[in-house]
């Protein structure tokens, strides 16, 4: 089975679970992810102050429906968990359609689809249904039932850490709070877990920290509980919408010129893609990039949030995402990791004139071979720009040579004692 097929299978397995910012759906999601990569689970109690926020009550739901006068479930949580507004408080009532209507949410412009709606921080309730279903409803009365609990509990998140040779970290973060939405963000979860699998057992320069947390409040909670750790984060990416068939999109960090921003601009070159400037709206990059932290964290998606008609609707199902698209996202992430791992600044130890490469076995004896000439050009560029100010990524960009060729040249020159970090 290919990695793409494995990721798609994970999306299908996670899809039926009803997730929210707290609750058993998040726990079960993390349990399933932990079958592939071990997760350290954190439980943060309701009422805990996290920066300017407070961990809310925990929400869980067992059943919810609207029954027509004949006893038919015309809206049924058991068929699709998007039918219930997230964090709906318990309800047991008989209502006319007119009484029920203020609690019903549809998409008139997409009459076949069910929207995704939440009410995290207001004690309310509601149902989501298609406009076509609503149009077919009679005056009632309707039996309305939401069998849920909203009580003191915990906010749950998981972490997976792959140790490197140093303490500096690369953060990979994705949100785990959305219910049955395949692209937003089950595909992101699947790609992050598969990247962790690919990195396992490798000799790494950086420590890689994968955070699987509810959106907004989860990232804020992680930041609040790790303020002494965030100074170690040298690079980071928030991963979302990783499986649709659109081109890759990278959103720069707040800094705009962080190394991670330059890395993704480099690895995405040559394929269809979009680079966007930072804005303080989107996914959890806005928490990591808040001015007090100002971490070098960008965001990688395919089609960005709200940029496709299936976004936050019942059409964002497992058939909407593809194994090939997730493989492509994973490939871009892995290439970015390879550049981060090998990118260095060097100083030329023989800067006065060009050092004699031939007597060190670094200059080909036969001319006319394009591969040899390319290696020699890479060495000359590294020697010329190894002044302590330019890193290898700068050199690759300026020379137009592949980053790997520049990094290989630097390794050869270092081995010959001509450059040092």
């Amino acid at each position: 089975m290919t990695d793409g097929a494995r990721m798609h299978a994970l999306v299908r397995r996670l899809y039926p679970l009803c997730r929210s910012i707290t609750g058993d759906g998040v726990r079960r999601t993390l349990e399933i992810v932990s079958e592939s990569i071990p997760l350290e689970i954190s439980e943060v109690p309701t009422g805990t102050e996290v920066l300017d926020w407070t961990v809310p009550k925990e929400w869980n739901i067992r059943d919810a429906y609207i029954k027509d006068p004949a006893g038919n479930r015309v809206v049924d949580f058991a068929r699709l968990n998007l039918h219930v507004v997230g964090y709906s408080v318990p309800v047991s009532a008989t209502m006319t359609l007119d009484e029920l209507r203020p609690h019903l949410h549809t998409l008139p412009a997409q009459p076949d689809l069910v929207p995704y709606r939440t009410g995290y921080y207001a004690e309310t309730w509601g149902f989501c249904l298609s406009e076509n279903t609503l149009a077919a409803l009679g005056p009632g009365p309707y039996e309305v039932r939401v069998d849920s609990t909203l009580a003191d509990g915990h906010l749950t998140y998981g972490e997976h850490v792959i140790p490197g040779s140093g303490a500096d970290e690369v953060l990979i973060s994705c949100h785990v709070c959305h219910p049955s939405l395949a692209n937003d963000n089950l595909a992101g979860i699947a790609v992050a877990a598969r990247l962790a699998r690919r990195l396992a057992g490798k000799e790494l320069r950086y420590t890689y920290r994968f955070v699987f947390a509810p959106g907004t409040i989860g990232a804020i909670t992680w930041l609040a509980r790790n303020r002494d750790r965030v100074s170690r984060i040298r690079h980071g990416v928030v991963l979302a919408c990783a499986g649709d068939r659109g081109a890759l999109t990278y959103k720069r960090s707040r800094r705009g010129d962080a190394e991670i921003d330059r890395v993704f601009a480099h690895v995405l070159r040559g394929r269809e893609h979009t680079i966007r400037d930072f804005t303080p709206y989107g996914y959890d990059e806005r928490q990591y990039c808040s001015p007090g932290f100002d971490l070098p964290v960008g965001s990688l998606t395919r089609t960005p949030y709200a940029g496709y008609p299936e976004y936050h609707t019942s059409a964002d199902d497992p058939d909407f995402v593809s194994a090939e698209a997730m493989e492509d996202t994973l490939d871009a992430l892995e290439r970015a990791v390879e550049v981060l791992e090998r990118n260095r600044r060097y100083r030329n130890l023989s800067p006065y004139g060009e050092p004699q490469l031939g007597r060190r076995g670094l200059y080909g004896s036969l001319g006319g071979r394009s591969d040899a000439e390319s290696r020699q050009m890479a060495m000359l560029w590294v020697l010329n720009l190894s002044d302590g100010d330019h890193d290898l990524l700068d050199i690759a960009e300026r020379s137009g040579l592949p980053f790997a060729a520049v990094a290989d040249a630097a390794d050869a020159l270092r081995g010959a004692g001509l450059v040092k970090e």
Side-chain angles (χ1 to χ4, degrees), residues 59-61 63-67 75 82-105 117-129 142-150:
W59 182 70
N60 286 292
I61 183 167
D63 196 11
Y65 55 81
I66 300 173
K67 284 185 181 179
V75 178
L82 296 182
H83 275 309
V84 176
V85 172
Y87 257 65
S88 286
V89 298
V91 177
S92 182
T94 300
M95 309 175 74
T96 66
L97 181 59
D98 286 342
E99 293 170 324
L100 184 55
R101 194 178 290 271
H103 298 278
L104 302 180
H105 305 272
R117 297 287 185 270
T118 64
Y120 295 142
Y121 303 106
E123 292 200 2
T124 185
W125 62 273
F127 288 87
C128 297
L129 63 161
Y142 293 91
E143 181 186 344
V144 181
R145 173 79 165 160
V146 177
D147 182 11
S148 65
T149 57
L150 190 60

Side-chain angles (χ1 to χ4, degrees), residues 202-216:
K202 290 189 175 182
E203 291 186 9
L204 298 168
R205 170 190 181 190
Y206 291 107
T207 291
Y208 287 78
R209 182 173 299 274
F210 292 78
V211 175
F212 300 85
T216 304

Side-chain angles (χ1 to χ4, degrees), residues 103-338:
H103 298 278
L104 302 180
H105 305 272
T106 67
L107 294 168
Q110 297 171 291
D112 294 326
L113 302 183
V114 177
Y116 163 55
R117 297 287 185 270
T118 64
Y120 295 142
Y121 303 106
E123 292 200 2
T124 185
W125 62 273
F127 288 87
C128 297
L129 63 161
S130 72
E131 181 71 15
N132 289 338
T133 298
L134 176 59
L137 296 182
Y142 293 91
E143 181 186 344
V144 181
R145 173 79 165 160
V146 177
D147 182 11
S148 65
T149 57
L150 190 60
D152 287 349
H154 296 82
L155 179 146
T156 310
Y157 65 85
E159 294 178 86
H160 176 74
V161 177
I162 303 174
S165 60
D168 288 349
E169 295 188 359
V170 177
L171 174 70
I172 310 291
S173 178
C174 57
H175 60 278
V176 296
C177 52
H178 286 12
S180 293
L181 298 173
N183 197 42
D184 183 19
N185 188 36
L186 298 180
I189 295 169
V191 170
R194 186 51 48 179
L195 177 64
R197 293 274 295 184
R198 285 194 177 182
L199 296 182
K202 290 189 175 182
E203 291 186 9
L204 298 168
R205 170 190 181 190
Y206 291 107
T207 291
Y208 287 78
R209 182 173 299 274
F210 292 78
V211 175
F212 300 85
T216 304
I217 186 65
I220 286 171
T221 299
W222 186 88
L223 285 165
R225 301 182 81 221
N226 290 275
R227 295 185 78 156
D228 61 339
R229 181 191 300 280
V230 294
S231 62
R232 302 179 190 174
I233 296 174
R234 294 291 181 263
H235 320 283
V237 61
V238 169
L239 184 60
C241 299
D244 68 84
R245 291 164 175 80
L248 283 164
T249 299
Y250 177 75
K251 176 182 171 182
R252 295 185 180 99
S253 71
R254 179 178 181 267
R255 301 180 188 182
D257 60 352
E259 186 174 341
I260 191 71
D261 302 325
R262 296 166 49 235
V263 165
F264 271 104
H266 182 80
V267 301
L268 294 179
R269 188 169 293 128
R271 68 167 83 192
E272 185 182 359
H273 73 281
T274 300
I275 302 287
R276 292 187 169 190
D277 287 332
F278 175 80
T279 63
Y281 185 77
Y283 291 111
D284 285 327
E285 70 278 358
R286 68 189 197 273
Q287 311 308 332
Y288 300 118
C289 293
S290 56
F293 292 109
D294 193 24
L295 297 177
V297 175
S299 172
L300 183 67
T301 64
R302 300 194 72 80
T303 307
Y305 54 86
Y308 50 96
E310 298 83 359
Y311 178 76
H312 280 194
T313 76
S314 53
D316 186 1
D317 62 18
D319 291 333
F320 176 62
V321 300
S322 75
E324 293 77 16
M326 286 186 280
E327 279 267 25
D328 186 57
T329 307
L330 178 61
D331 175 68
L333 274 168
E334 191 168 33
R335 288 178 61 202
V337 167
E338 290 170 356

